[in-house]
Each structure stands twice: as structure tokens, then as C-alpha cells.
Amino acid sequence: MADEDQPAAVRKPRADAERNRVRLLETAKAAFAEKGSAASLDEIARTAGVGAGTLYRHFPTRDALVAAVYRNETEQLVAAASRLAEMHPPVMALREWLLLFVDYIATKHGMYEVLNSIVGGTSDLYSASTAQVKEAIAKLIERAVASGDIRLDLDPLDLLRALAGVANIGLGPDGERAAKRLVDILIAGVRMRS
């Protein structure tokens, strides 16, 4: 007899189920960016190569799918900070992560209409992602400061605000290109001078 106070073991999803989930998230991201709230869940399932039942098994509602796409993008951005820190010197890791942040802002901008259609709003979703992103960039900046490559007085949020502002002001590819150019300007501006 199982002890009722003990939580049930959580099974890891089967490999094919996880592949379907990832395909659905990627397909939904593209569909929401292109069509906004007009994106059909059945079309997303078809494009991902799965049945509607598979989509609804993973994401029982449209809101659940939208929130999952947003969380997935945030998780990928946050995970990239650690991966880049292992692969590159501190300033290069920070630069590469900031370029990924520009892509993240572009995705978020493309999903703006769909995100704002979530019943109950997005404040919990945004506050959780903001905390994760702040922590990721803070670690990269701490590493670059410790290496002596950038100034000690840098507020990590200033870099994010500058990039988000440029990416959001210029709609379309020009805004994204301008924000990516700004990454190098920002890095040059925070580097320690010899």
C-alpha cells in the first residue's frame, strides 16, 4: 500500500511526446507571429504534423498554448546565458546573449496581440519572465565585471531597456537590425578603457 503522504512519482514524457510538444511550440510561435489571434489551432496542429487531439493533450486551451510559447522563449533565452558563459569569454558571452535578447523582443512583439488576448491578463506571465531574464543578464554582467572587462557601475537593466526600446520603436526588420547594431555600441560603451 502506497503512503498517501508521499507524492506520486512524476514520469518524464516519452521522447515522441516531447518532440511533438516542441514542434507545436515552434509552429505556434511562427503562426502567432504571422497571423496573431487569427491563427487557427487546427492549422497549427496540421503544420506541426500532429492531430488536434495531440495539441489539446499538451495545451488544453489557446491561452495555455500562448503562455507556453512565451514561457518556452523565455526559458531558451535564460538557458542560453549559461551555455554562452561556458563557450565564450565574458564580454563575448554577454554580446551574444544580447543579440539573442533582440530576437526574443522581436518574438514578443510579433506575439503582442495574442499575448494580450489571454484571459486574466499577462501580468503573472510577464513578472515571472522578467525575473528570469534579469537574473540571466545579471550573471553575465557579474562575470564580465569580475574579469575586468566592463565597468563596475553598470545596471544590467539599462542594457535591456536600451535594446528593447530600439527593437520596439522600429517595427519590422529595420528595428531589429538597429537593435542588433546597438549591441556593439553598448558593449563598446561599457568596456573598461586601458
Side-chain angles (χ1 to χ4, degrees), residues 29-160:
K29 173 182 140 182
F32 291 146
E34 180 185 340
K35 297 179 182 175
S37 60
S40 157
L41 295 185
D42 289 338
E43 177 74 23
I44 289 170
R46 229 180 349 271
T47 303
V50 300
T54 299
L55 183 142
Y56 288 108
R57 200 169 19 263
H58 287 283
F59 311 104
T61 65
R62 173 183 283 277
D63 286 358
L65 178 58
V66 171
V69 168
Y70 184 80
R71 272 192 228 94
N72 184 58
E73 290 301 301
T74 301
E75 289 166 5
Q76 287 182 17
L77 178 67
V78 169
S82 297
R83 188 178 67 251
L84 291 168
E86 291 172 6
M87 296 171 45
H88 299 290
V91 171
M92 181 58 69
L94 176 61
R95 178 188 179 277
E96 293 300 314
W97 189 85
L98 289 171
L99 290 169
L100 291 175
F101 179 75
V102 172
D103 294 336
Y104 172 77
I105 290 297
T107 296
K108 193 169 144 181
H109 182 75
M111 289 184 58
Y112 181 77
E113 177 198 3
V114 173
L115 283 165
N116 285 331
S117 72
I118 292 179
V119 175
T122 55
S123 60
D124 289 343
L125 190 61
Y126 286 162
S127 65
S129 67
T130 300
Q132 291 173 313
V133 170
K134 283 181 189 177
E135 185 178 332
I137 192 171
K139 287 179 182 176
L140 289 169
I141 287 181
E142 287 169 13
R143 187 171 171 257
V145 167
S147 74
D149 290 332
I150 66 172
R151 297 192 322 242
L152 292 172
D153 63 344
L154 178 63
D155 180 352
L157 290 181
D158 288 343
L159 290 175
L160 297 182

